Amino acid sequence: MAYLTLFPVGSIMRANLFGYRDLHDPWLRRLREAPEESLFAAMPGLRKLTGKFAVTDFIKIRPVDLYVTSGYEQPGIVLVGDAFATSCPAAGTGVRKVLTDVERLCNVHIPRWLATRGMGTEKIAAFYDDPVKRACDAHSAAKAYHLRSFSIDTGLPWRARRAGKFVAHFGIGTLRQMGERLSARSPVRQRSSAASSPRP
């Protein structure tokens, strides 16, 4: 798995789970048939976070494929964002990709294109060859494959990275709890001190 997000929508809670499994993996069937048990088995710490819950709606499962369009250099047509090359939802680069494409189009390429007649493939190719766009696309693809390896690769370097991240997050959580306990105690001390001090 890559991540699980939980957020309230009105009186219910919505969950988005992103993972790396084949569509024929038996675990997906188990998730549909017994969602609570499947999630608690996969993430033992989830019960402490959420408490007991019940899945009341149909679980929607859909694949996400990474692809790059071919034959895209067509006169007068430009593909931006996922229409040109998809991004991984778990990596969170989709909005950046489409905004970068649109920014380059509006601020750089369209003004140049409209300065002369026609909209042939040589003009369209300039957009796809834009170094800023290409760097953004490359970053998006690299982050997608990095996250996949970080999430499920069994090699020692990736296992060490996961362990390091776990330790770091555990430390942050521990420090946050300590800070909350200290801040909860300090007003009590102030009130006790004020009550015991004599009036002038």
Side-chain angles (χ1 to χ4, degrees):
M1 294 181 187
Y3 70 79
L4 170 68
T5 58
L6 302 168
F7 50 94
V9 180
S11 60
I12 63 173
M13 185 75 72
R14 178 185 171 93
N16 289 337
L17 174 65
F18 189 94
Y20 302 97
R21 292 180 181 270
D22 186 271
L23 279 178
H24 301 292
D25 191 319
W27 187 84
L28 296 177
R29 175 178 289 182
R30 291 197 302 272
L31 178 65
R32 275 205 171 121
E33 294 172 350
E36 299 88 352
E37 292 82 356
S38 299
L39 290 173
F40 287 144
M43 295 175 281
L46 182 62
R47 189 187 301 271
K48 182 178 178 182
L49 178 67
T50 64
K52 187 176 180 181
F53 64 86
V55 177
T56 59
D57 201 357
F58 181 73
I59 296 177
K60 300 173 185 176
I61 300 173
R62 66 182 184 90
V64 176
D65 297 318
L66 297 183
Y67 65 81
V68 178
T69 304
S70 60
Y72 48 81
E73 292 185 5
Q74 301 293 330
I77 298 175
V78 172
L79 302 177
V80 300
D82 281 358
F84 171 67
T86 53
S87 58
C88 174
T93 57
V95 173
R96 178 180 177 182
K97 261 172 53 64
V98 70
L99 290 179
T100 298
D101 285 355
V102 172
E103 185 277 326
R104 301 310 289 170
L105 273 174
C106 295
N107 294 335
V108 178
H109 298 285
I110 290 177
R112 293 176 183 171
W113 293 346
L114 297 180
T116 58
R117 294 176 62 84
M119 201 61 66
T121 55
E122 71 283 351
K123 288 185 176 181
I124 301 300
F127 166 70
Y128 295 111
D129 292 336
D130 184 293
V132 176
K133 171 188 168 46
R134 289 173 67 91
C136 184
D137 288 342
H139 169 75
S140 178
K143 192 168 182 182
Y145 287 108
H146 179 273
L147 180 60
R148 185 180 190 277
S149 293
F150 186 85
S151 299
I152 65 172
D153 199 306
T154 57
L156 183 59
W158 293 106
R159 292 169 64 186
R161 287 185 178 98
R162 286 194 292 271
K165 186 172 184 180
F166 174 81
V167 170
H169 280 270
F170 181 80
I172 292 171
T174 302
L175 290 174
R176 183 180 293 131
Q177 289 178 350
M178 290 173 60
E180 290 173 354
R181 289 173 186 160
L182 289 174
S183 62
R185 291 176 183 173
S186 57
V188 175
R189 290 197 190 109
Q190 291 173 1
R191 285 195 298 271
S192 174
S193 173
S196 61
S197 58
R199 293 184 179 181

